[in-house]
Amino acid sequence: MEPVKDAIAKRAHVGTIGQYRALYAQSVEDPAGFWAKQAKRLDWFVDPLVVREEEEAEGTVDFSWFGGGKLNAAWNCVDRHVAERGDKTAIIWAKDEVGEYEHISYRRLKQEVCRVANVLRAHGVRKGDRVCIYLPMIPELAFTMLACARIGAIHSIVFAGFSAESLKDRIEDAGAKVLVTANEGLRGGKTIPLKATSDKAVDAVGDLVETMIVVRRTETEVPMKAGRDVWLHEEAARQRLSCPAEWMDAEDPLYILYTSGSTGKPKGVLHTTGGYLTYAAFTHELVFDVHEDDIYACVADIGWVTGHSYIIYGPLANGATTVMFESTPLYPDASRYWRLVDDLGVTIFYTAPTAIRAIERLGDEWVTKTSRKSLRILGTVGEPINPGVWQWYHDVVGNGKCAIVDTWWQTETGGIMISPLPGATPCKPGSATLPLPGIQPVLVDDEGNEVEGNDVRGNLCIKGSWPGQARTIWGDHARFVDVYFTRFPGYYLTGDACRRDEDGYYWITGRIDDVLNVSGHRLGTAEVESALVAHQAVAEAAVVGMPHDVKGTGIHAYCICTPAWEEKDRAEVIDVLKKQVREVIGAIATPDRLMVVPGLPKTRSGKIMRRILRKIAAAEYDDLGDITTLADPSVVEKIVDDHKAGK
Ligand code: 7RM
């Protein structure tokens, strides 16, 4: 057990474990009172009349928060701070170029947001319309999100590493009539051809996208299609510096964010305005113990939920100074993060275990040659952190002086659910520790019974609702009900397996479904499989996770080739198929290992035995279990031999 550090506890919002326990007890005894109080951290045009409502009817799920309330997320993240702290830096943009920073004050942020909002309005965007954003980590991304929020448009941000096809699917599913992109992205000294990818995606959706708004990040010329494409800087220069904020209902959508599930295409998780923003602000302040003078850096990409909640909405709602980091942890070398910390005086730093592992393996010197004396709190998110990596983060990066917060949550939860509080919770490396106030995790056995007590395991579910909870899947409420609320009625199903230890601490042990967590990014095995079988070379494919030192989980694909491709050079086929996945989904989905196999282990009813494929992928050949029930056990032998031979 790693005790809480006195220096951190002394100034913390919650400074003892007793205080945390009292707050927690209060939150579950009187949730309405507790959340009503939390909602007061926002500025409401009209105060909510009710805290929480749940409608019950056979076969569906419907809950809402802060009914009757009216507010605007951009107003809360920007305008209301201008009077109090107009000259305070809202966003520090850390450019890809080493040592180059741009500070944007709350006053300037308001003007930039208004200008972009006016540009969107001028192009016909109205309340409820969807705007797709395909931008790298540049300030215009923040301006555009907040501009959407300001006029009541729903943003759908697509990570700039996704392919044209992934972008197209998301534009189409959301029905976005405007796409905001950049001529190019810049990351780790390399350019990313965003406009070219956007053109491909937009051309493939017919005339759905009426306007493409292009940010000029680099000097590179790109073709602009007359009547469709416009430059943001030219349009913005013509617009006023003010723009009225729409009065949004608490339950009006704020954004859609696509995330992978175990089956089918990624689902558009929908978050609403009042509950989400309350929850993002509340958790950001509590978990990171944010104070007025903090310099807060979450180095995730805004294309993922972590960036939505903990680079933009949470920090800005709290009037904090937040960093937008455009580069990568290893560019130009493994000191990059700590150089960022020293250059800006970062006090709170939030990243993923995969990034920590990538840096750790290159040696301590990259860290120890930097000062890092400004740091107080170090966070992680996205996947379980190995206890050894936790210790290294604590001892080497944090010099033994920082609090570590291992934060468990999901796209669907809107914000952090299980995490230590830096001034209150003694830590156990590898455990996300205890639930935040207002959150009731339960472990449910496979029969649907709550597993009580400590030193137990089960399917991690959440009892009751919380304000940041996703309300639906865009365009498919039946899928929302089916995926999250059907297997164990009455609970929200997280899809994670979990252990609650003898002290009541939670340990996430992995997914219970076919979702992989690759470098902290969620990927469905079904998505990768469908990208593979879309190629003429592949007759059938099965994808599983495999242990990976840096990524946590790597992608292992097994493919059966079509006759015409069977005789081709193996290495070439493998290259072609890896490239296929990269082109269909994006680089993050590229298989780490791809094997061409003569067959797949199947039951006599034709079901692929993924359990066996996972064991082989992990090189646990002696532990394959019973294979006698397979339709053709000899396939397994062949695959094992080839795997051992590195084929
Ligand atoms: C924020 C985010 C969610 C999945 C989740 C888990 C895994 C996230 C942790 C973690 C262990 C953690 N959203 N996960 N945080 N596992 N410890 N601290 O990652 O929707 O992209 O992924 O990530 O499996 O279900 S996400």
Side-chain angles (χ1 to χ4, degrees), residues 55-376:
E55 297 299 331
E56 280 180 40
E58 185 63 31
T60 192
V61 170
D62 190 318
F63 42 85
S64 62
W65 284 87
F66 308 128
K70 289 199 177 279
L71 78 166
N72 183 284
W75 175 280
N76 273 283
C77 289
V78 186
D79 298 52
R80 66 167 171 155
H81 303 308
V82 173
E84 251 176 86
R85 42 175 88 82
D87 295 322
K88 178 174 175 174
T89 299
I91 296 174
I92 306 175
W93 179 35
K95 301 189 194 187
D96 191 55
E97 293 92 340
V98 183
E100 287 193 25
Y101 304 97
E102 187 179 325
H103 288 64
I104 298 160
S105 67
Y106 273 97
R107 193 183 321 285
R108 192 185 138 208
L109 180 61
K110 180 178 169 192
Q111 298 176 351
E112 301 280 5
V113 169
C114 285
R115 276 196 149 138
V116 178
N118 287 326
V119 170
L120 292 173
R121 288 195 60 87
H123 286 278
V125 179
R126 299 289 177 264
K127 182 173 173 174
D129 289 346
R130 278 79 58 211
V131 172
C132 183
I133 306 177
Y134 186 62
L135 283 174
M137 289 291 287
I138 56 178
E140 287 81 359
L141 171 51
F143 305 160
T144 308
M145 298 167 76
L146 293 164
C148 287
R150 191 167 197 92
I151 64 174
I154 305 168
H155 61 70
S156 165
I157 300 178
V158 177
F159 172 59
F162 276 122
S163 67
E165 194 163 330
S166 296
L167 176 59
K168 177 206 143 230
D169 287 347
R170 286 157 173 77
I171 292 172
E172 213 161 34
D173 187 83
K177 61 177 182 180
V178 171
L179 173 67
V180 184
T181 189
N183 60 340
E184 282 185 325
L186 197 58
R187 202 158 176 265
K190 295 194 194 99
T191 55
I192 307 159
L194 297 175
K195 176 66 165 69
T197 307
S198 296
D199 284 340
K200 259 202 227 165
V202 167
D203 289 344
V205 291
D207 45 18
L208 173 61
V209 176
E210 295 160 13
T211 311
M212 200 194 297
I213 301 174
V214 186
V215 179
R216 196 173 58 189
R217 169 61 183 97
T218 66
E219 297 307 313
T220 307
E221 295 293 334
V222 290
M224 298 286 279
K225 186 169 167 187
R228 186 194 70 184
D229 303 349
V230 295
W231 288 106
L232 181 65
H233 64 277
E234 286 178 1
E235 299 279 306
R238 284 200 276 277
Q239 293 297 337
R240 295 189 58 182
L241 295 171
S242 62
C243 168
E246 283 279 346
W247 286 34
M248 305 298 287
D249 281 338
E251 281 293 315
D252 277 336
L254 179 60
Y255 68 79
I256 301 168
L257 181 59
Y258 287 84
T259 194
S260 296
S262 51
T263 56
K265 293 211 163 169
K267 24 184 206 250
V269 170
L270 185 113
H271 283 293
T272 57
T273 309
Y276 171 81
L277 198 63
T278 298
Y279 197 67
F282 162 66
T283 53
H284 176 253
E285 184 184 271
L286 199 65
V287 172
F288 298 106
D289 190 40
V290 179
H291 292 75
E292 189 68 46
D293 55 350
D294 274 310
I295 306 286
Y296 166 88
C298 165
V299 290
D301 193 289
I302 293 176
W304 310 109
V305 74
T306 302
H308 282 64
S309 298
Y310 298 111
I311 298 177
I312 300 297
Y313 287 113
L316 295 180
N318 288 332
T321 296
T322 185
V323 172
M324 278 179 74
F325 179 61
E326 190 181 22
S327 197
T328 77
L330 301 181
Y331 178 77
D333 57 48
S335 286
R336 185 64 190 266
Y337 279 162
W338 325 122
R339 205 183 299 202
L340 174 87
V341 166
D342 288 349
D343 285 354
L344 301 177
V346 170
T347 54
I348 306 166
F349 183 82
Y350 193 27
T351 189
T354 184
I356 307 170
R357 288 192 297 264
I359 298 167
E360 182 190 8
R361 61 204 280 272
L362 298 175
D364 291 5
E365 316 79 68
W366 296 106
V367 184
T368 52
K369 71 180 185 188
T370 64
S371 152
R372 290 157 288 111
K373 70 167 192 293
S374 56
L375 288 173
R376 183 172 92 255

Side-chain angles (χ1 to χ4, degrees), residues 259 304-306 350 380-385 406-412 418 430 432 494-496 508 510-511 517 520-522:
T259 194
W304 310 109
V305 74
T306 302
Y350 193 27
T380 75
V381 61
E383 48 178 324
I385 181 163
D406 172 357
T407 66
W408 176 86
W409 59 295
Q410 309 178 294
T411 306
E412 295 88 338
I418 303 179
T494 67
D496 283 344
I508 307 299
R511 296 286 305 186
N517 199 321
H521 301 317
R522 246 166 94 169

